[in-house]
Amino acid sequence: MEAGNIVLIGFMGSGKSTVSRRLARRLHWDVVDTDRLVEEQAGLGIPDIFASVGEAGFRELETRVIAGLRAVRRTVVATGGGVILSGENRRLLRELGFTVWLTASPDVLFERVSRNSDRPLLQSANPRETLDRLLEERRQRYTEVADCVVDSTHLSHRAVVDLITARAGQYFGWERVGSG
Ligand code: S3P
């Protein structure tokens, strides 16, 4: 049984956090961001979580956060880019509602993630190579979870929100939702 939320999945830099806030505003829904919930639970920022408990420790916290979302309704859920790596997470996310895979070209993703250094997985000798490899490793997982795919390479945030609203309307069988 699926809970009627909208879940945004996608690689780092695909725009999940920004789009989730704007989409929630449009729909008058709540918004949560699993990265922020993990940080709240740990009392640490993501780079510090990776430094102290490693990626495996971060993934455990992430799964606990996702499992804790079972009761949310009318909520836009933004997720971390690696959330789809765990089979349990993939199942939990699908139960949460309509799942949207936000994508963008590797060049655009790289340009966006290069603006800050808060992503431990990309602090490598060759971040572009790492990005390409992770994308390839994860593509199939995103596909498994996604009810629909939105490519934001050439779209404004507003256009992305328009598209997701329209697709969600078809999925949930809504009447037209006003824009704004
Ligand atoms: C990760 C993506 C990050 C964050 C963590 C790990 C990943 O979230 O969860 O750094 O494995 O792709 P964003 O996709 O919001 O950057």
Side-chain angles (χ1 to χ4, degrees), residues 88-108:
E88 185 179 359
N89 290 358
R90 294 197 296 277
R91 183 180 60 76
L92 290 167
L93 292 176
R94 292 193 58 82
E95 284 176 7
L96 277 179
F98 179 55
T99 49
V100 180
W101 176 17
L102 269 186
T103 65
S105 71
D107 285 347
V108 165

Side-chain angles (χ1 to χ4, degrees), residues 12 16 35 46 50 58-59 79-82 119-121 138:
M12 298 174 262
K16 295 163 299 201
D35 281 345
I46 286 176
F50 271 72
F58 172 82
R59 298 291 171 213
T79 59
R119 290 171 169 110
L121 292 179
R138 294 176 176 185

Side-chain angles (χ1 to χ4, degrees), residues 17-33:
S17 298
T18 308
V19 167
S20 67
R21 287 192 295 271
R22 295 183 66 144
L23 181 61
R25 213 179 309 141
R26 168 84 60 93
L27 299 174
H28 307 289
W29 283 16
D30 291 329
V31 59
V32 296
D33 189 316

